[in-house]
Amino acid sequence: MQLSFDEERLNGVVSAPALPPFSDKVIAFLNDLSSVLMKTGRAFSDVVTFAYWCRKAALTKAKENYTDLDQRLGRGVVFHIAPSNVPVNFAFSMVSGLLAGNKNIVRLSSKPFAQVDIIADAIEKVIDESYPEFKDYIYLLRYDHSDEITAKLSAVADTRVIWGGDATIATIRRAPLKARANEITFADRHALCVMSADAYNAADNKDQVILKFYNDTYFSDQNACTSPRIVVWTGEGIEEAKKDFWDRLGQKTEKDYHIEPVQIVGKLSMLMEASTAEPLHLKTSLNAPKLMVAETEKIDDRLMEFKYNSGYFYEYSTQDLTDILPLCDTRCSTIAYYGDVADKLLKVVRDSGCPGVDRIVPLGTTMDFSLRWDGYDLIISMSRFIGVN
């Protein structure tokens, strides 16, 4: 697939008409794309997950969440800036824009990922063979940092979607948008995990619990904003649960996780920095190359300033879940949970009126993409409502 900037290609995207959300043609295209990816991408679990998400049955079910689609139309052109830390993220973003009825320009990360190439090739194959009209609705490109190209793409956008850290967002925002354009940003954020010790100790298959936590964290090397950085234990039998949990996770990482020396040094440096920071009170409960855990006696709002990846965790024990509130500011995207604590967590968040926490989800599902993501309803945000009186 040609991924370079092309002025003629851009003009074709701009001139194509917007579509109604969840159009039959879009769903058929995505279902065919899913079928291709199930064959060509089966070596990558994240590609298979994306393909499964694109099935007609799944999209039809997602469509049921919206009651006013007959009065909605895509906003026009959506310019997506994909992140560099989650390979398949660009595809979920692009499909969200397509489902909302838009033409989509996607700037891919310059980092080489086999998953990106597999999906891009599959899109080209399906368009060329069965859906030539969709060429103007999906424009994937890759370019080095260029203020000029970013400005051109931003100038035609009716919605701009930025996946990246705060610095990336600030840089992209130097390129102005049209007066009526809107913007969706996914900035630097963090996630928590709340574990019921009672539920863990009673679990029949603890290795399955470990696998869920591993998938939420190590699968993305904790680079995703939804990957938990701290494990909060609550309930009875906490010490027993903690020992078994970390022992099993350590065994899992020794077998399945690869780490580079620079990552180990980075974790050690962060632990030293965090350990000397006030008012944090940390003690190292586990210090292995592939799994490092520091226990804190108190949750302070500065704790996530000292987050790291590659298997670096904090942990805290409490019987009062309001203790987590210092971490539930605007930087907090997700709380994963295990055990019967979801309702308690929702009550803590709602009663406190805290500015953060957009998702409370079961352990093992923090990476599961939804059209309602990080506090945005992507279909609503990327379409416009046509009022009829």
Side-chain angles (χ1 to χ4, degrees):
M1 174 174 277
Q2 176 65 34
L3 297 176
S4 59
F5 178 73
D6 184 326
E7 197 87 47
E8 183 177 348
R9 181 79 191 279
L10 178 61
N11 292 336
V13 172
V14 172
S15 60
L19 301 172
F22 290 97
S23 73
D24 292 341
K25 192 74 170 178
V26 166
I27 290 177
F29 166 77
L30 292 174
N31 191 63
D32 288 354
L33 176 63
S34 173
S35 298
V36 172
L37 289 173
M38 286 293 190
K39 299 173 184 176
T40 62
R42 60 182 178 271
F44 297 91
S45 61
D46 49 352
V47 175
V48 172
T49 297
F50 170 69
Y52 193 77
W53 187 81
C54 285
R55 293 171 304 122
K56 180 179 180 179
L59 298 178
T60 301
K61 184 174 179 60
K63 181 180 179 180
E64 294 173 357
N65 292 322
Y66 301 92
T67 60
D68 62 355
L69 294 180
D70 58 341
Q71 290 182 254
R72 288 195 168 273
L73 193 65
R75 290 180 56 84
V77 175
V78 178
F79 176 29
H80 308 256
I81 295 93
S84 60
N85 56 357
V86 183
V88 179
N89 179 281
F90 87 92
F92 284 110
S93 189
M94 179 270 295
V95 168
S96 300
L98 192 59
L99 285 171
N102 297 288
K103 296 79 65 72
N104 298 272
I105 303 169
V106 186
R107 178 188 174 186
L108 302 172
S109 168
S110 58
K111 290 185 178 180
F113 290 112
Q115 297 98 311
V116 174
D117 294 336
I118 289 169
I119 295 173
D121 289 343
I123 290 171
E124 184 176 44
K125 173 182 172 65
V126 175
I127 289 176
D128 287 348
E129 292 182 356
S130 305
Y131 300 86
E133 70 274 24
F134 273 29
K135 182 177 181 181
D136 290 331
Y137 288 83
I138 301 174
Y139 178 18
L140 307 181
L141 73 163
R142 183 180 283 128
Y143 60 89
D144 293 332
H145 294 291
S146 168
D147 290 343
E148 180 183 0
I149 296 177
T150 298
K152 285 184 177 181
L153 299 177
S154 295
V156 301
D158 299 285
T159 296
R160 184 167 62 190
V161 182
I162 309 174
W163 299 82
D166 295 354
T168 297
I169 292 170
T171 298
I172 298 297
R173 279 181 166 168
R174 294 202 299 256
L177 292 167
K178 293 188 288 189
R180 280 180 48 80
N182 67 346
E183 187 174 62
I184 302 170
T185 59
F186 301 99
D188 287 331
R189 306 195 78 188
H190 59 251
L192 325 177
C193 176
V194 176
M195 297 285 297
S196 165
D198 309 74
Y200 180 78
N201 288 330
D204 292 331
N205 190 344
K206 292 183 174 62
D207 286 339
Q208 188 63 33
V209 181
I210 298 303
L211 177 61
K212 290 179 179 180
F213 185 82
Y214 184 92
N215 288 342
D216 279 348
T217 53
Y218 283 87
F219 187 80
S220 66
D221 230 354
Q222 285 180 284
N223 284 316
C225 65
T226 60
S227 294
R229 309 286 183 163
I230 179 171
V231 177
V232 178
W233 296 94
T234 190
E236 302 299 323
I238 288 178
E239 292 305 315
E240 175 189 353
K242 285 165 56 175
K243 183 179 186 311
D244 188 90
F245 179 86
W246 296 121
D247 283 350
R248 289 176 187 266
L249 184 61
Q251 294 170 24
K252 171 73 173 172
T253 59
E254 279 303 311
K255 182 177 69 172
D256 296 334
Y257 180 62
H258 174 75
I259 193 168
E260 298 290 344
V262 66
Q263 295 170 279
I264 301 172
V265 173
K267 289 196 292 186
L268 287 169
S269 298
M270 183 56 72
L271 179 61
M272 293 176 62
E273 184 178 353
S275 297
T276 58
E278 292 292 342
L280 305 183
H281 302 282
L282 303 175
K283 65 176 182 179
T284 305
S285 50
L286 185 61
N287 187 355
K290 297 182 179 182
L291 174 59
M292 185 174 293
V293 184
E295 184 174 5
T296 180
E297 299 175 359
K298 177 184 178 183
I299 292 183
D300 185 88
D301 60 4
R302 290 193 63 203
L303 187 61
M304 288 297 104
E305 294 177 16
F306 301 94
K307 65 186 180 183
Y308 201 75
N309 50 31
S310 310
Y312 180 87
F313 302 96
Y314 296 107
E315 69 173 344
Y316 176 74
S317 302
T318 184
Q319 301 304 326
D320 183 0
L321 289 178
T322 62
D323 287 354
I324 70 173
L325 286 174
L327 297 182
C328 296
D329 57 16
T330 56
R331 298 171 296 173
C332 181
S333 69
T334 303
I335 300 179
Y337 67 89
Y338 183 77
D340 188 20
V341 293
D343 290 343
K344 296 176 184 177
L345 290 168
L346 178 59
K347 180 174 173 55
V348 167
V349 171
R350 284 176 56 86
D351 288 356
S352 67
C354 70
V357 185
D358 297 313
R359 305 164 68 231
I360 299 173
V361 299
L363 187 70
T365 67
T366 65
M367 300 283 286
D368 291 359
F369 186 78
S370 167
L371 292 170
R372 289 170 177 159
W373 188 259
D374 240 14
Y376 295 101
D377 187 312
L378 296 176
I379 297 299
I380 301 301
S381 297
M382 291 193 279
S383 64
R384 61 188 180 92
F385 180 79
I386 304 170
V388 179
N389 297 326

